[in-house]
């Protein structure tokens, strides 16, 4: 492979100094634990079968996101414990600005870090083909454990493969039976109501999308205000540039029986994978959203507000109906803040009972709830780590990162090292606590390292443990999010890999990839105009124009290539778990 050596010596020196500076100032040392955890770490290594007679190993891990600030290694009890347990030091780095520009500079300077935490995207596919990553099979052959294969399904590994070779250590991978409800765990997006607004208009039943519409109309016509006298907004959803596509696809398309794959593609009525503007189901959903806007049910600013502006409206009780990630309450406390500042008021998930099952995705136009799909998850997870050929001992990095995928590693990641607030794992792999996590302050949790190193979470293990811990607490101490995920969301969630890596079937830099980018950019620009169009005829005209633009930019060939990959995925998985919209 040809490398470009046009980067200045000054830049190379800067990169080296930055890494050295982090090593000395932030990374800590293998012996930097506090509280006498050395014996505990040695016992943990012995129990896990980790050799204790190896030389200390230092490696550089690059977190390839400008928005992500890695924690200092050794600066909390957990990373200090892992430093001793594995006899390693991690030197964490992240880009100050454009992550891909930073990564390209590293490649040109022949200064790749030992491991990169990044999206599964055309970029890592290209880097794989350039020979910059170490194959998983090579590293499995170097270690004494089988943590990777034990926790990552063989079918999942096949989907990760680039030209038949797998390089991915995944983050938030899953295991389970495809297509059966309750196999995926967790759950996020839902309709929610602010309870005092709902009560003010008569506490109407909310079982269908039409019920939600009638509720919003009632709120609009009632002229309600919040406790500070500021007007209530009938509907709010997560703001920002993704508002149109995210909300439309996750909420309204699902209500009409559709299933999105990203922003602009989905299963069409004929069962193929295609461009959403061709789908009558999606067009109907989009016209419904246009109708909501024409009825004055949400402000135009909902398309442009920042997340902070959205949260300000939600936490001050201005959102009658809210579509949002309910689990965000664990981070930004949107529900908790409202309940604290307005006693007696609350935000609650809208649920309906169907055949004895609690559902959160409400149907439209008389569809049976059996035809409405809740969120689904792939086994592949989110992003991953890729160990580069720069690593002198790739197997040491592989050993540590794949430990995080195990049930034991998950328990440590969530609640810190053994000997801290928990003493041992019971027969079900659940920590036995001497101090409950909910009793710790935020500062104590940070010092412990709890949830600060979830860089290779395994969704099944993490959710199983956190649900068991939450359910063991007195009811008043349980968290709302985990209770809702366990009782309401998880029973509806399914696993499917049928949409896996479809976007990567079109190689970056090709004419087809450029065309797809043009089409996507145009859809992002046009969608707000369609939503805000003054009449349905105007909205449909704009939508037809967007489809014509896509057809002029080779959308048919894009669909052909991506559908070919979709059909391949179905052959690997054994078929789809969804019925095409409009099918009997």
């Amino acid at each position: 492979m040809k490398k470009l050596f046009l980067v200045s010596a000054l830049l190379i020196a800067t990169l080296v100094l930055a890494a050295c500076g982090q090593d000395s100032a932030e990374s800590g040392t293998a012996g930097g634990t506090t509280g006498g955890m050395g014996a505990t770490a040695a016992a943990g290594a012995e129990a896990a079968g980790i050799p204790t007679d190896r030389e200390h190993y230092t490696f550089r891990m690059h977190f390839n996101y400008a928005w992500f600030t890695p924690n200092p290694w050794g600066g909390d009890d957990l990373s200090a414990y892992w430093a001793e347990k594995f006899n390693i030091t991690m030197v964490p780095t992240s880009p100050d600005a454009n992550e891909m520009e930073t990564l390209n500079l590293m490649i040109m300077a022949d200064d790749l870090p030992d491991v990169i935490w990044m999206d599964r995207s055309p970029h890592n596919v290209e880097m794989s083909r350039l020979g910059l990553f170490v194959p998983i099979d090579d590293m499995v052959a170097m270690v004494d454990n089988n943590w990777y294969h034990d926790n990552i399904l063989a079918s999942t590994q096949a989907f990760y493969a680039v030209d038949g070779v797998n390089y991915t250590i995944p983050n938030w991978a899953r295991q389970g039976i495809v297509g059966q409800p309750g196999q995926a765990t967790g759950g996020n997006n839902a309709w929610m109501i602010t309870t005092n607004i709902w009560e003010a208009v008569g506490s109407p039943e909310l079982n269908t999308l039409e019920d939600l519409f009638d509720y919003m109309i009632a709120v609009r016509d009632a002229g309600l205000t919040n406790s500070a006298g500021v007007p209530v907004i009938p509907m709010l959803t997560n703001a920002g540039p993704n508002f149109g596509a995210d909300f439309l696809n996750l909420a309204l398309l699902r209500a009409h029986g559709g299933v999105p794959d990203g922003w602009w593609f989905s299963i069409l009525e004929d069962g193929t994978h295609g461009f959403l503007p061709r789908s009558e189901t999606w067009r109907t959903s989009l016209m419904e959203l246009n109708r909501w806007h024409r009825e004055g049910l949400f402000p135009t600013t909902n398309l442009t507000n920042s997340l902070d502006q959205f949260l300000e409206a939600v936490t001050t009780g201005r959102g009658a109906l809210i579509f949002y990630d309910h689990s965000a309450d664990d981070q930004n406390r949107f529900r908790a803040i409202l309940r604290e500042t307005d006693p007696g008021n609350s935000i609650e998930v809208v649920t309906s009972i169907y055949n004895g099952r609690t559902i959160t995705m409400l149907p439209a136009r008389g569809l049976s709830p059996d035809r409405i799909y809740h969120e689904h998850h792939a086994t592949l997870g989110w992003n991953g780590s890729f160990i580069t050929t720069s690593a002198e001992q790739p197997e040491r990095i592989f050993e540590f990162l794949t430990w995080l995928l195990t049930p034991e590693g998950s328990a440590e990641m969530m609640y810190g090292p053994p000997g801290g607030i928990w003493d041992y794992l019971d027969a079900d792999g659940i920590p036995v606590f001497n101090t409950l996590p909910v009793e710790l302050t935020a500062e104590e949790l940070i010092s412990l390292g709890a949830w600060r190193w979830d860089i290779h979470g395994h969704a099944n293990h993490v959710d199983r443990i956190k649900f068991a811990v939450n359910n063991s607490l007195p009811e008043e101490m349980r968290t709302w999010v985990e209770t809702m995920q366990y009782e309401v969301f998880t029973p509806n969630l399914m696993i499917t890999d049928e949409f896996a890596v479809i976007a990567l079937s079109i190689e970056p830099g090709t004419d087809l990839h450029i065309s797809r980018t043009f089409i996507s950019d145009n859809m992002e620009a046009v969608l707000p105009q369609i939503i805000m169009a003054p009449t349905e005829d105007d909205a449909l005209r704009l939508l037809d124009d967007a489809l014509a633009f896509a057809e002029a930019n080779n959308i048919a060939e894009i669909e052909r290539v991506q559908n070919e990959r979709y059909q391949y995925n179905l052959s690997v998985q054994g078929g789809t778990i969804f019925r095409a919209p409009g099918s009997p």
Side-chain angles (χ1 to χ4, degrees):
M1 180 193 71
K2 292 184 179 179
K3 292 189 176 74
L4 300 178
F5 295 95
L6 302 179
V7 181
S8 69
L10 177 60
L11 173 60
I12 296 175
T14 301
L15 290 169
V16 172
L17 286 173
C20 293
Q22 281 193 281
D23 193 4
S24 61
E26 297 181 5
S27 63
T29 66
T33 55
T34 57
M37 288 195 300
T40 304
E46 183 178 356
I50 301 168
T52 57
D53 58 351
R54 296 175 299 190
E55 292 185 358
H56 183 74
Y57 179 57
T58 298
F59 65 92
R60 180 158 60 115
M61 183 162 185
H62 184 69
F63 297 84
N64 194 49
Y65 300 97
W67 52 264
F68 184 85
T69 302
N71 297 308
W73 181 257
D76 53 67
D77 290 347
L78 181 56
S79 58
Y81 167 76
W82 282 339
E84 288 200 26
K85 182 173 182 174
F86 292 90
N87 199 17
I88 56 173
T89 292
M90 176 201 295
V91 180
T93 63
S94 63
D96 293 328
N98 187 298
E99 52 259 26
M100 292 318 303
E101 183 177 325
T102 300
L103 189 57
N104 286 335
L105 287 174
M106 289 178 173
I107 295 171
M108 288 190 295
D110 198 21
D111 185 40
L112 278 177
D114 301 291
V115 57
I116 305 171
W117 193 64
M118 65 186 298
D119 286 341
R120 290 180 291 105
S121 70
H123 302 293
N124 70 60
V125 170
E126 184 176 17
M127 293 177 72
S128 300
R129 288 176 172 154
L130 288 172
L132 300 180
F133 297 142
V134 181
I136 292 296
D137 285 347
D138 289 359
M139 290 181 287
V140 167
M142 297 179 193
V143 296
D144 296 328
N145 60 71
N146 204 20
W147 297 330
Y148 189 88
H149 290 316
D150 287 346
N151 294 283
I152 306 300
L153 296 173
S155 57
T156 307
Q157 297 178 43
F159 279 118
Y160 291 139
V162 176
D163 302 328
V165 180
N166 177 23
Y167 304 90
T168 307
I169 304 173
N171 184 26
W172 299 119
R174 296 177 182 273
Q175 295 169 301
I177 302 172
V178 169
Q180 292 191 12
Q183 289 297 298
T185 54
N188 299 92
N189 295 287
W191 294 109
M192 291 175 280
I193 53 170
T194 301
T195 55
N196 70 351
I197 301 174
W198 176 68
E199 291 164 356
V201 294
S203 305
E205 289 193 7
L206 303 174
N207 297 308
T208 66
L209 195 72
E210 287 76 18
D211 290 343
L212 297 181
F213 177 81
D214 292 341
Y215 167 57
M216 290 185 288
I217 291 292
V219 170
R220 181 200 65 185
D221 293 347
L224 302 175
T225 62
N226 68 358
S227 58
V230 181
V232 162
I233 301 170
M235 195 278 289
L236 285 172
T237 189
N238 191 7
N242 299 349
F243 158 74
D246 281 0
F247 172 59
L248 171 63
N249 292 342
L250 293 175
L252 297 190
L253 178 61
R254 289 183 183 275
H256 288 81
V259 181
D261 175 25
W263 288 7
W264 312 120
F265 295 91
S266 183
I267 303 172
L268 302 184
E269 282 76 5
D270 63 359
T272 63
H273 183 277
F275 189 44
L276 272 172
R278 296 196 195 278
S279 165
E280 286 302 319
T281 305
W282 189 76
R283 293 168 73 93
T284 298
S285 305
L286 179 52
M287 290 307 102
E288 181 68 12
L289 185 53
N290 169 256
R291 175 191 177 209
W292 288 10
H293 186 263
R294 287 186 283 111
E295 291 286 354
L297 301 183
F298 62 89
T300 300
T301 52
N302 219 12
L303 280 72
T304 56
N305 279 349
S306 67
L307 177 60
D308 286 344
Q309 289 170 314
F310 164 74
L311 290 174
E312 190 277 334
V314 169
T315 56
T316 55
R318 296 186 63 200
L321 181 67
I322 304 161
F323 189 83
Y324 186 49
D325 180 355
H326 89 290
S327 72
D329 188 60
D330 275 348
Q331 290 79 46
N332 60 40
R333 302 181 71 249
F334 70 91
R335 177 179 183 265
I337 291 171
L338 176 68
R339 289 165 64 90
E340 290 168 3
T341 57
D342 190 4
N345 199 5
S346 186
I347 293 172
E348 300 297 339
V349 171
V350 175
T351 61
S352 180
I353 305 298
Y354 173 74
N355 284 346
R357 181 167 61 101
T358 302
I359 61 174
T360 61
M361 290 291 177
L362 308 183
R365 303 196 174 212
L367 283 176
S368 166
D370 288 331
R371 296 302 307 268
I372 308 304
Y373 298 101
H374 288 64
E375 291 180 0
H376 60 273
H377 297 291
T379 66
L380 279 67
W382 169 36
N383 61 356
S385 284
F386 301 83
I387 298 176
T388 76
T389 52
S390 296
E392 294 182 0
Q393 298 183 47
E395 72 278 8
R396 298 284 297 275
I397 305 171
F398 181 75
E399 178 185 65
F400 168 59
L401 295 183
T402 56
W403 168 257
L404 305 186
L405 296 171
T406 67
E408 297 85 353
S410 298
E412 292 173 357
M413 179 270 288
M414 297 164 72
Y415 303 115
I421 65 171
W422 61 280
D423 298 313
Y424 61 93
L425 302 179
D426 67 15
D428 296 319
I430 309 303
V432 177
F433 294 98
N434 54 61
T435 303
L436 293 176
V438 293
E439 296 175 336
L440 300 182
T441 65
E443 291 76 15
E444 288 170 331
L445 286 169
I446 290 173
S447 178
L448 185 66
W451 288 103
R452 286 172 61 80
W453 295 96
D454 51 342
I455 54 177
H456 283 289
H458 192 291
N460 295 78
H461 303 326
V462 166
D463 286 341
R464 180 180 62 84
I465 293 170
K466 77 177 185 181
F467 290 162
V469 170
N470 190 58
N471 291 341
S472 71
L473 298 174
E475 188 170 350
E476 67 274 9
M477 297 179 70
R478 297 175 189 173
T479 76
W480 176 66
V481 169
E482 290 173 15
T483 299
M484 291 299 299
Q485 287 185 332
Y486 176 74
E487 295 180 354
V488 175
F489 286 81
T490 290
N492 289 297
L493 301 184
M494 294 190 290
I495 282 177
T496 182
D497 286 325
E498 59 195 84
F499 296 139
V501 300
I502 286 178
L504 303 188
S505 59
I506 296 177
E507 294 189 19
T510 61
D511 289 344
L512 215 54
H513 187 268
I514 294 169
S515 291
R516 191 175 64 184
T517 301
F518 281 157
I519 293 168
S520 177
D521 289 347
N522 185 65
M523 287 299 301
E524 282 191 57
V526 171
L527 189 63
Q529 300 174 37
I530 298 173
I531 294 170
M532 296 183 292
T535 69
E536 182 173 317
D537 287 343
D538 290 324
L540 287 170
R541 177 181 52 78
L542 288 167
L543 178 54
D544 289 339
D545 289 347
L547 179 56
F549 179 91
E551 289 173 336
N553 281 278
N554 214 5
I555 188 63
E557 180 64 9
I558 294 169
E559 289 175 304
R560 186 195 67 76
V561 172
Q562 294 189 161
N563 183 59
E564 186 176 273
R565 175 68 202 206
Y566 176 64
Q567 299 303 324
Y568 169 79
N569 289 354
L570 294 185
S571 70
V572 173
Q573 179 171 276
T576 179
I577 70 168
F578 307 114
R579 284 183 285 188
S583 64

